[in-house]
Amino acid sequence: MEIQAGRVAVHAVEHGTGRPVLVLHGAGVDHREAEACFEPALGGAAGLRRIYPDLPGMGRTAAPETLRSADDVVDTLLRFADEAADGTPYLLVGHSAGAYFAQAMAARRPARVAGLALVCPLLPGVRDVPEHRLVAGSADIGDDVFRSYFVIRTPETLERYRRYVEPAAALVDRAALDRIAEHWTLTPGHAPAYPGPTLVVAGRLDSTVGYVAAVDLVGHYPHASLAVVDDAGHALPHERPELLRALLADWLARVERPR
């Protein structure tokens, strides 16, 4: 499907019916990675309409010249969510940069967001990032990008990379991402912390964003669960899918629990 979100026509795929779940991928890929990582978990839950957009400048969503900052991306995603959810409170899931945008969306529209899940979130306060190292598998398989992304390098994770990550590279508008990156820091808000059910998942060996800044989020969100996963990196959704599925199931149960 394609939804006009202000100046941007956002391309997305969707599955199922019920409460909308908006799943945001990270930088340099498209909806296929998020779909591959989160659909096995979300698709097994009843009553969820899973929506996977291509973020501006990636996949089949163009980024016009007027889109010049992370704030512009968030504004676009909020418009997209309003149209896609048709006024229904929705769940938000984000991986990496997608989690950065999801945080801002929940902060700006807390009444519209029924639950927030942040996986390996990119955060302004990133620090103490560990060195990248191999945990399991072979040091020699795959290309440099695969080896810099995965700490578990097996034929299975290489196949996932080749199917769901590598093909997106050809569709990335590098000039648009560079333009947005010049104004990457979101304008600080002064609203109270998002009060709904929140899940934060981080890889202890994440050499892209680390895990220390993610741990700080537990003190920020009043209803947050935190999991720091040993022997997992920034590609945690690929490397530890069964654990991610269990964590998301617990989060979904908390979303449905009356408060």
Short mmCIF file of all heavy atoms in Angstrom, two decimals, residues 2 11 22 67 71 73 99 118 128 144 210 236:
data_model
loop_
_atom_site.label_atom_id
_atom_site.label_comp_id
_atom_site.label_asym_id
_atom_site.label_seq_id
_atom_site.Cartn_x
_atom_site.Cartn_y
_atom_site.Cartn_z
N GLU A 2 0.30 2.38 -0.34
CA GLU A 2 1.01 3.65 -0.31
C GLU A 2 0.09 4.69 0.31
O GLU A 2 -1.08 4.81 -0.07
CB GLU A 2 1.42 4.06 -1.71
CG GLU A 2 2.33 5.27 -1.74
CD GLU A 2 2.91 5.53 -3.12
OE1 GLU A 2 3.89 4.86 -3.49
OE2 GLU A 2 2.35 6.39 -3.84
N HIS A 11 5.52 4.06 1.26
CA HIS A 11 5.18 2.70 0.85
C HIS A 11 5.25 1.78 2.05
O HIS A 11 6.14 1.92 2.91
CB HIS A 11 6.15 2.21 -0.22
CG HIS A 11 5.97 0.77 -0.56
ND1 HIS A 11 6.74 -0.24 0.00
CD2 HIS A 11 5.09 0.15 -1.39
CE1 HIS A 11 6.34 -1.41 -0.47
NE2 HIS A 11 5.35 -1.20 -1.32
N LEU A 22 2.71 -0.68 14.14
CA LEU A 22 3.61 -0.03 13.20
C LEU A 22 5.04 -0.44 13.54
O LEU A 22 5.50 -0.21 14.66
CB LEU A 22 3.45 1.48 13.31
CG LEU A 22 4.20 2.36 12.31
CD1 LEU A 22 3.71 2.08 10.89
CD2 LEU A 22 4.00 3.83 12.65
N LEU A 67 12.57 17.28 2.80
CA LEU A 67 12.78 16.46 3.99
C LEU A 67 14.25 16.57 4.38
O LEU A 67 15.12 16.00 3.73
CB LEU A 67 12.41 15.00 3.69
CG LEU A 67 12.02 14.13 4.88
CD1 LEU A 67 10.63 14.51 5.36
CD2 LEU A 67 12.05 12.67 4.51
N ASP A 71 13.53 15.44 12.57
CA ASP A 71 12.21 15.98 12.94
C ASP A 71 11.24 15.85 11.77
O ASP A 71 10.06 15.51 11.96
CB ASP A 71 12.32 17.44 13.37
CG ASP A 71 12.89 17.60 14.76
OD1 ASP A 71 12.48 16.86 15.67
OD2 ASP A 71 13.75 18.48 14.95
N VAL A 73 11.36 13.56 9.46
CA VAL A 73 11.01 12.15 9.35
C VAL A 73 9.94 11.78 10.36
O VAL A 73 8.96 11.09 10.04
CB VAL A 73 12.26 11.27 9.55
CG1 VAL A 73 11.87 9.79 9.58
CG2 VAL A 73 13.28 11.51 8.43
N ALA A 99 13.82 2.75 16.22
CA ALA A 99 13.48 2.92 17.63
C ALA A 99 13.64 4.38 18.06
O ALA A 99 12.89 4.87 18.91
CB ALA A 99 14.35 2.01 18.49
N LEU A 118 11.31 -1.03 21.88
CA LEU A 118 12.54 -0.48 21.33
C LEU A 118 13.61 -1.56 21.34
O LEU A 118 14.00 -2.04 22.40
CB LEU A 118 12.99 0.72 22.18
CG LEU A 118 11.94 1.79 22.44
CD1 LEU A 118 12.45 2.81 23.46
CD2 LEU A 118 11.52 2.49 21.16
N ASP A 128 30.11 4.06 25.70
CA ASP A 128 30.65 2.77 26.12
C ASP A 128 30.30 1.67 25.13
O ASP A 128 29.87 0.57 25.51
CB ASP A 128 30.12 2.39 27.52
CG ASP A 128 30.53 3.39 28.58
OD1 ASP A 128 31.60 4.00 28.43
OD2 ASP A 128 29.78 3.58 29.55
N ASP A 144 32.12 -7.70 4.06
CA ASP A 144 32.52 -6.85 5.18
C ASP A 144 31.32 -6.31 5.94
O ASP A 144 31.36 -6.18 7.17
CB ASP A 144 33.38 -5.69 4.68
CG ASP A 144 34.76 -6.12 4.21
OD1 ASP A 144 35.18 -7.24 4.58
OD2 ASP A 144 35.41 -5.34 3.49
N GLY A 210 25.79 0.14 21.29
CA GLY A 210 26.03 -0.28 22.67
C GLY A 210 24.74 -0.67 23.38
O GLY A 210 23.68 -0.78 22.78
N LEU A 236 20.67 -8.39 16.72
CA LEU A 236 19.98 -9.25 17.70
C LEU A 236 18.68 -9.86 17.16
O LEU A 236 18.41 -11.04 17.41
CB LEU A 236 19.71 -8.43 18.97
CG LEU A 236 19.04 -9.11 20.16
CD1 LEU A 236 19.46 -8.42 21.46
CD2 LEU A 236 17.52 -9.10 20.07
#
